[in-house]
Amino acid sequence: MPEPIKVVVTGAAGQIGYALVGSVVKGEVFGADQPVILVLLDIEPMMGVLEGVVMELKDCAFPLVKEYIPTADYEKAFKDADACMLVGAMPRKEGMERKDLLAANVKIFKGQGEMIDKVAKKTVKIVVVGNPANTNALICSKYAPSIPKQNFSALTRLDQSRAKAQIADRVGVSVGDVSNAIIWGNHSSTQYPDMRHATVNLNGKKMSVPEAVKDDNWLKNEFIKIVQSRGAAVIKARKLSSAMSAAKATCDHMRDWWMGTQSGEWTSMAVISDGNKYGIPDGLMYSFPVEIKDKTWKIKEGLEINDFSREKMDISAKELVQERDDALAVCEDGQQKK
Ligand code: NAX
């Protein structure tokens, strides 16, 4: 048996946390024979609920688990962590302005970044789910300068899965027959779901998605809107935001990072831009197609970008520049007040 790894799930008493922790300890993310120490981090008032989650986990009798650590203490949580799924965030309350939400969350992710910097393993892999996910991941990384920037990411896998599911429905195939969908940009309504490079297996023949869909107008308009607003549509129907699908996407994201992507396939992850790929500014946490090997992602290069894509990709980059500047202003303001 390999040595146990320490996995931290934040917001573990919340609805995504509840849908997520079972998969982590079942071996679906880090491997079927990888023992796990599972940290469940939440805020102090949620410790009672968290205790209930741990009771249920224990009652599941997962054999891979070495220990459960429910806590509200950042240092205890992140000490020697190998992988972190940062789900916990301040929810948007009624009447709250976007900038107030951003400010509240920036402070959370700054604090967690500082502690990760101090006590986590330098090889730790981090996926941020809590919104605004891209900017929270950027801030977390900024305040953890001793950890490589490549070890931070934000979740756009749910958007990718939503896009694949829409195509599968439209073409009448199983979602497993759709490959290489791309989400560019921010996990927000400016994201650009791009199917120009995606393929589908239709009647035993592999073809491009535009060829299979045969309706460019739908792909350029309705399809994009459906994917961009899918989260809101789920809330409207379920009266609660996406949880099962977000948990599954978080697991898929981390599993591919840990285990690698299949040859010839890529997946979408928001990762740090170095300014040299696809004309996206340096220093943004932007969703790109990535290929992963040996726990290291590499942006898939050489994909042709037409004028339509360029415009969409730039709109999302512009939004991320604004979010980053607003977030940094909050951090700097905090420093001045110290
Ligand atoms: P819930 O409100 O059910 O749970 C959030 C949990 O986080 C709560 O238990 C809360 O106490 C905890 N929390 C708050 N501050 C914390 C802190 N400083 N440290 C640790 N825990 C803390 O929300 P849920 O539906 O689980 O969603 C969690 C986050 O995921 C939200 O920010 C949501 O917007 C975001 N989402 C992101 C998605 C993505 O694709 N990137 C999709 C799904 C989801 O909407």
Side-chain angles (χ1 to χ4, degrees):
M1 274 293 223
E3 282 295 300
I5 56 167
K6 188 170 176 188
V7 180
V8 183
V9 176
T10 74
Q15 56 152 2
I16 297 176
Y18 186 76
L20 172 69
V21 286
S23 299
V24 172
V25 288
K26 220 184 274 174
E28 291 175 355
V29 181
F30 300 101
D33 59 357
Q34 175 60 63
V36 168
I37 297 167
L38 180 68
V39 178
L40 300 101
L41 178 76
D42 213 292
I43 52 175
E44 201 60 55
M46 297 303 284
M47 287 303 106
V49 174
L50 205 54
E51 200 182 316
V53 176
V54 173
M55 283 161 74
E56 278 210 61
L57 281 167
K58 287 188 174 169
D59 296 347
C60 287
F62 292 116
L64 285 175
V65 180
K66 281 282 164 206
E67 190 185 352
Y68 292 110
I69 308 179
T71 183
D73 182 311
Y74 281 6
E75 184 162 3
K76 190 174 169 188
F78 293 119
K79 177 91 185 126
D80 297 327
D82 293 284
C84 301
M85 296 163 156
L86 304 184
V87 180
M90 172 80 83
R92 192 170 192 150
K93 295 188 188 118
E94 228 182 313
M96 203 174 190
E97 295 277 334
R98 200 193 71 92
K99 66 175 191 338
D100 299 331
L101 181 75
L102 185 92
N105 280 301
V106 160
K107 284 179 199 143
I108 292 176
F109 286 86
K110 179 183 172 192
Q112 293 186 352
E114 285 168 342
M115 191 52 80
I116 287 169
D117 190 53
K118 230 168 111 186
V119 302
K121 286 193 184 154
K122 299 302 171 202
T123 52
V124 65
K125 305 275 182 283
I126 295 152
V127 53
V128 174
V129 179
N131 279 319
N134 300 49
T135 299
N136 287 340
L138 187 70
I139 294 300
C140 196
S141 153
K142 180 179 161 61
Y143 286 93
S146 70
I147 313 270
K149 290 201 177 323
Q150 289 71 18
N151 295 19
F152 293 82
S153 67
L155 187 77
T156 52
R157 182 61 171 260
L158 176 56
D159 306 301
Q160 179 182 292
S161 300
R162 287 166 170 168
K164 283 172 72 172
Q166 289 300 319
I167 296 298
D169 271 3
R170 179 85 180 185
V171 179
V173 295
S174 141
V175 76
D177 289 320
V178 185
S179 301
N180 292 347
I182 302 174
I183 301 296
W184 300 98
N186 199 2
H187 168 69
S188 77
S189 57
T190 68
Q191 65 174 268
Y192 170 41
D194 176 8
M195 287 292 151
R196 292 185 58 247
H197 308 281
T199 59
V200 61
N201 280 323
L202 186 60
N203 305 325
K205 195 171 157 237
K206 188 168 167 176
M207 60 178 80
S208 79
V209 164
E211 212 183 325
V213 168
K214 294 194 192 78
D215 188 346
D216 265 7
N217 189 37
W218 180 79
L219 275 173
K220 284 181 166 174
N221 294 289
E222 203 182 332
F223 162 75
I224 292 178
K225 283 199 197 94
I226 292 172
V227 177
Q228 287 174 336
S229 59
R230 185 69 165 178
V234 169
I235 294 177
K236 191 161 178 253
R238 206 173 82 90
K239 318 287 180 239
L240 284 169
S241 58
S242 307
M244 179 180 22
S245 53
K248 166 71 164 53
T250 308
C251 291
D252 288 347
H253 175 116
M254 192 55 98
R255 187 203 56 230
D256 282 355
W257 203 352
W258 215 258
M259 308 287 190
T261 46
Q262 304 281 326
S263 162
E265 292 201 4
W266 57 76
T267 187
S268 304
M269 270 167 77
V271 292
I272 194 75
S273 167
D274 65 2
N276 296 320
K277 314 278 185 317
Y278 296 108
I280 301 305
D282 184 22
L284 290 186
M285 206 51 86
Y286 190 94
S287 181
F288 290 101
V290 300
E291 293 170 320
I292 307 169
K293 205 175 155 208
D294 300 330
K295 298 195 175 71
T296 306
W297 56 262
K298 209 169 151 286
I299 293 173
K300 167 77 187 164
E301 292 191 69
L303 298 173
E304 188 249 330
I305 304 298
N306 63 11
D307 290 348
F308 179 83
S309 296
R310 182 77 265 155
E311 193 188 336
K312 299 268 181 226
M313 288 160 70
D314 288 346
I315 289 171
S316 208
K318 202 170 157 208
E319 182 184 51
L320 280 169
V321 168
Q322 184 65 54
E323 273 189 21
R324 177 194 61 193
D325 293 350
D326 290 350
L328 291 176
V330 172
C331 295
E332 278 150 24
D333 189 36
Q335 250 147 25
Q336 276 162 13
K337 280 182 192 149
K338 267 188 187 168

